[in-house]
């Protein structure tokens, strides 16, 4: 029996209310977790596919805009550092020789959120290790600072596995954002089982966006610690999870990838259903330098454009990609940039206070590099 328009309108309004962000500027996630099972995943997807046109039907007919902010291969540079990643002294921070630092990154991200209606802040992996800051504080402090910076999602990279799955598992449990990897299997790992999501859907205003995680296939070889998780080619997993995102009503999919620039290009050419890939160079944080601001445009299956953007090492630049999507969710117009996080960028006062408090415990080790970044 078809319900009358009035009850259906009321239902649609209630559903929209349930799915609306709990606070201004925050999105709501519809996640798929392996522990929920295939039936739950498909059931939720079919339900969303049926009802979402009732809620967002008008918006689906118009172009939509998205700003993606991104980082990767930061290697625990919570404080400003030099071009080669060496931590700066307090005196050096007032010069042009020092870039980055989480307080500057958070401050710039806040400015971008104020300028755009729909913003995602993503990390392509490589956050663990690199400085005495990590050696002293490990995963819980890093997760706390990333929570305060309001990251939306992160890909798992080789660095995240470098001290074993227990450390990564603790980080994930403290993080208030999902860690993604569609090609990571964790059933055999007691610390990571059901903790890494393959993908998720998130509502931002009138947009329902899909996020897909892609992990570096060579994580077991690059990691310093034994890896109990299984990493399989993304080609074997992506079609299934992209289909589930379609069931959930997503038309636009942004992938966050630790696989490296060359692999991301191959993925863009071969796997249908991905519109944007945010990644890293694949050379590790030691590479340094400013990556290209303009995204690389790859012709994907069916002739649709796929935008590729790589994050800068050490958090010296905040990547920014503005994209307009057509009514079918495909990129229509875009502009990329790499925002230099120098001393002119206003710092987020809360992040600065927290970083300073944590850094004070390091003493003389504050300006030391403790580990060689994962290559």
């Amino acid at each position: 029996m078809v319900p009358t328009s009035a009850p259906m309108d009321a239902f649609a309004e209630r559903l929209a209310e349930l799915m609306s962000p709990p606070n201004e500027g925050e999105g709501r996630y519809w996640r798929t977790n392996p522990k929920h099972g295939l039936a739950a995943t498909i059931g939720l997807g079919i339900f969303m596919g049926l009802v979402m046109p009732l809620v967002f039907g008008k918006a689906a007919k118009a172009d939509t805009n998205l700003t993606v902010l991104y980082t990767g291969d930061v290697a625990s540079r919570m404080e400003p550092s030099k071009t080669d990643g060496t931590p700066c002294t307090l005196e050096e921070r007032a010069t042009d020789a020092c870039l980055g630092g989480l307080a500057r990154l958070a401050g710039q991200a806040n400015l971008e959120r104020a300028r755009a209606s729909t913003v995602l802040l993503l990390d392509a992996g490589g956050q663990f290790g690199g400085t005495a800051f990590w050696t002293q504080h490990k995963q819980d402090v890093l997760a706390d600072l990333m929570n305060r910076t309001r990251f939306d999602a992160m890909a798992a990279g080789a660095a995240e596995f470098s001290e074993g799955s227990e450390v990564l598992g603790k980080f994930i449990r403290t993080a208030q954002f999902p860690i993604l990897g569609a090609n990571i299997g964790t059933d055999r790992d007691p610390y990571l089982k059901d903790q890494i999501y393959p993908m998720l859907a998130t509502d931002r205003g009138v947009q329902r966006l899909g996020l897909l995680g892609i992990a570096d296939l060579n994580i077991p070889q690059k990691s310093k610690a034994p890896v109990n998780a299984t990493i399989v080619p993304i080609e074997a997993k992506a079609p299934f999870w992209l289909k589930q995102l379609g069931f959930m009503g997503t038309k636009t999919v942004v992938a966050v990838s630790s696989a490296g620039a060359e692999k991301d290009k191959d993925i863009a050419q071969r796997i249908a259903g991905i519109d944007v890939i945010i990644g890293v160079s694949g050379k590790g944080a030691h590479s340094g330098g400013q990556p290209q601001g303009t995204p690389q445009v790859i012709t994907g299956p069916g002739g649709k454009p796929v935008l590729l953007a790589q994050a800068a090492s050490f958090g010296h630049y905040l990547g920014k990609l503005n994209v307009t999507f057509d009514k079918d969710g495909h990129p229509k117009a875009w502009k990329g940039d790499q925002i230099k996080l120098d001393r002119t960028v206003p710092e987020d006062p809360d992040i600065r206070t927290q970083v300073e408090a944590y850094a004070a415990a390091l003493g003389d080790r504050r300006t030391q590099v403790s580990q060689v970044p994962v290559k």
Side-chain angles (χ1 to χ4, degrees):
M1 179 178 178
V2 179
T4 62
S5 59
M8 182 57 72
D9 289 343
F11 170 75
E13 290 176 2
R14 176 56 179 158
L15 183 60
E17 178 184 351
L18 290 172
M19 295 179 60
S20 62
N23 297 300
E24 184 177 358
E26 297 181 2
R28 177 159 301 185
Y29 292 115
W30 292 90
R31 304 180 181 181
T32 58
N33 190 323
K35 67 183 178 183
H36 294 158
L38 179 61
T41 298
I42 294 177
L44 175 62
I46 293 174
F47 173 74
M48 288 298 150
L50 289 173
V51 301
M52 290 317 300
L54 298 173
V55 182
F56 294 117
K58 293 182 180 179
K61 297 179 182 179
D63 292 347
T64 55
N65 299 308
L66 172 67
T67 297
V68 182
L69 306 176
Y70 55 92
T71 61
D73 277 342
V74 174
S76 298
R77 265 60 177 189
M78 298 295 102
E79 297 188 278
S81 59
K82 301 173 188 176
T83 303
D84 63 357
T86 304
C88 295
T89 65
L90 295 179
E91 293 76 16
E92 289 171 331
R93 292 188 193 181
T95 71
D96 293 331
C98 286
L99 299 174
L102 194 63
R104 290 175 180 170
L105 189 152
Q108 187 64 43
N110 291 338
L111 292 176
E112 301 301 333
R113 291 184 180 110
R115 294 167 180 163
S117 59
T118 307
V119 177
L120 288 177
L121 177 57
L122 306 176
D123 186 87
Q127 281 279 357
F128 287 17
T131 66
F133 198 101
W134 168 262
T135 305
Q136 176 75 21
H137 296 298
K138 299 293 185 183
Q139 69 287 332
D140 290 341
V141 166
L142 177 61
D144 172 59
L145 291 173
M146 292 183 72
N147 289 341
R148 292 173 182 272
T149 310
R150 295 162 57 194
F151 276 86
D152 290 294
M154 174 181 173
E160 280 64 61
F161 285 87
S162 63
E163 295 198 22
S165 58
E166 183 176 4
V167 170
L168 177 54
K170 289 179 179 178
F171 172 82
I172 294 173
R173 287 171 175 80
T174 304
Q176 296 171 2
F177 51 90
I179 283 66
L180 303 176
N183 55 329
I184 301 178
T186 59
D187 287 346
R188 298 183 302 170
D189 193 310
Y191 299 107
L192 296 178
K193 183 177 173 60
D194 300 332
Q195 298 302 311
I196 297 178
Y197 288 88
M199 55 77 170
L200 57 84
T202 178
D203 295 324
R204 303 294 162 126
V206 298
Q207 288 181 275
R208 166 156 287 192
L209 302 167
L211 295 178
L212 179 77
I214 302 173
D216 185 353
L217 186 61
N218 297 314
I219 282 177
Q221 291 75 37
K222 294 180 178 180
S223 176
K224 296 179 179 180
V227 176
N228 293 326
T230 58
I231 317 294
V232 301
I234 188 63
E235 292 83 354
K237 296 294 184 179
F240 173 80
W241 292 117
L242 288 167
K243 187 174 183 179
Q244 305 316 305
L245 285 172
F247 283 142
M248 291 180 177
T250 64
K251 291 186 176 182
T252 297
V253 174
V254 177
V256 56
S257 170
S258 65
E262 290 305 312
K263 182 58 180 177
D264 289 343
K265 181 177 179 180
D266 181 61
I267 291 168
Q269 293 172 332
R270 298 174 55 191
I271 299 178
I274 300 175
D275 300 288
V276 177
I277 301 179
I278 300 298
V280 292
S281 67
K283 298 178 182 179
H286 67 289
S287 59
Q290 178 183 5
Q292 183 176 344
T294 304
Q296 188 175 6
V297 182
I298 304 298
T299 301
K304 301 297 182 182
V306 182
L307 308 182
L308 271 61
Q310 270 75 49
S313 301
F314 305 130
H316 288 169
Y317 295 81
L318 178 62
K320 177 182 176 180
L321 180 61
N322 291 326
V323 188
T324 298
F325 299 94
D326 63 22
K327 62 182 180 62
D328 296 316
H330 303 305
K332 178 180 178 180
W334 51 83
K335 181 181 180 182
D337 192 11
Q338 293 284 346
I339 303 171
K340 190 175 185 179
L341 300 179
D342 58 20
R343 60 193 176 98
T344 66
V345 174
E347 295 181 317
D348 179 281
D350 173 64
I351 301 297
R352 177 173 180 170
T353 299
Q354 294 301 318
V355 170
E356 288 286 340
Y358 288 131
L362 303 180
D364 293 340
R365 296 176 298 139
R366 189 168 182 174
T367 57
Q368 296 176 359
V369 175
S370 64
Q371 293 175 281
V372 178
V374 175
K375 296 182 179 181

